Amino acid sequence: IEKLDKLIESLETVIELLQKLTQSESSILLLGSEHADFLQPLHPSRSLVIEPDPNKVAQAKDRYPDLDIQSGNEELAPRTEPFDYVLILENVTRWEDIHTTLKSYRRWVGPTTQLIFTLPNVGLQWLKSHSSKAHNWVSKHDLRNLLKLADFKIDREGSFRWSPYLVASAAPR
């Protein structure tokens, strides 16, 4: 029960952070359905969830019938009009080619879009170890450099209750 309490506290921390970084009635793209329950407290005007695992799409649609959930991976997901926010919540560690994936995000980014990244809290990562399929361990410093290489600029970064985050937007070309 103590482990579950810590995991719940960690999830509440992420929701609180996202509420501070986003505005209600904005359009939000969420990559991965495992955090789809974070969307409701953010009150988006439009949202899309891209789930890379086709086996999880039906489950996610059953669990969140009001959300638009589509199958696809971050690199091959459909092109849509720009979103106000693109949420990448701990997913970056699962990407095989981080640079190429970041460059592909341009399809969802307009001049005011903000990409919000949360990185795993190393101290709490062991709580989620049963579901972690990480390919890359990326530090905030590494992600900052990869974002710059993919023509994004860092607008804000920090740590909120021990959870590191970065906010980036498209760099002028």
Side-chain angles (χ1 to χ4, degrees):
I1 297 218
E2 186 178 320
K3 286 182 183 179
L4 182 59
D5 287 343
K6 287 186 181 191
L7 184 58
I8 290 169
E9 182 181 323
S10 175
L11 296 176
E12 289 171 350
T13 296
V14 174
I15 291 170
E16 189 177 343
L17 171 65
L18 293 174
Q19 288 173 326
K20 290 180 184 299
L21 295 175
T22 63
Q23 295 180 5
S24 292
E25 299 301 317
S26 298
S27 59
I28 299 175
L29 171 64
L30 174 66
L31 300 172
S33 65
E34 68 191 64
H35 298 299
D37 50 341
F38 291 1
L39 286 173
Q40 183 189 19
L42 301 179
H43 308 288
S45 61
R46 173 176 67 103
S47 63
L48 172 62
V49 178
I50 303 292
E51 173 52 59
D53 184 345
N55 298 320
K56 291 183 180 179
V57 172
Q59 283 179 317
K61 285 183 176 187
D62 287 343
R63 188 168 177 196
Y64 309 105
D66 296 335
L67 294 179
D68 182 4
I69 300 172
Q70 296 184 19
S71 180
N73 64 26
E74 288 88 348
E75 294 94 350
L76 303 174
R79 181 179 298 271
T80 66
E81 63 185 76
F83 286 85
D84 296 316
Y85 300 98
V86 178
L87 305 182
I88 304 101
L89 308 177
E90 299 185 6
N91 293 355
V92 72
T93 60
R94 297 185 189 127
W95 300 341
E96 290 184 30
D97 184 346
I98 295 171
H99 182 253
T100 300
T101 302
L102 288 172
K103 285 177 64 173
S104 74
Y105 279 21
R106 288 248 174 218
R107 77 184 80 195
W108 302 308
V109 173
T112 61
T113 301
Q114 292 193 311
L115 286 78
I116 300 174
F117 293 85
T118 61
L119 296 169
N121 178 322
V122 177
L124 294 174
Q125 191 62 38
W126 64 273
L127 289 171
K128 300 179 195 177
S129 61
H130 66 282
S131 65
S132 178
K133 297 177 184 173
H135 298 291
N136 296 299
W137 286 103
V138 180
S139 70
K140 193 163 50 169
H141 177 75
D142 295 334
L143 181 56
R144 188 182 317 118
N145 289 335
L146 288 163
L147 282 162
K148 286 178 184 176
L149 287 171
D151 292 326
F152 289 99
K153 64 183 174 97
I154 307 303
D155 297 324
R156 201 167 159 190
E157 63 181 286
S159 184
F160 184 76
R161 296 191 184 170
W162 307 284
S163 294
Y165 70 89
L166 285 167
V167 179
S169 59
R173 291 187 172 195

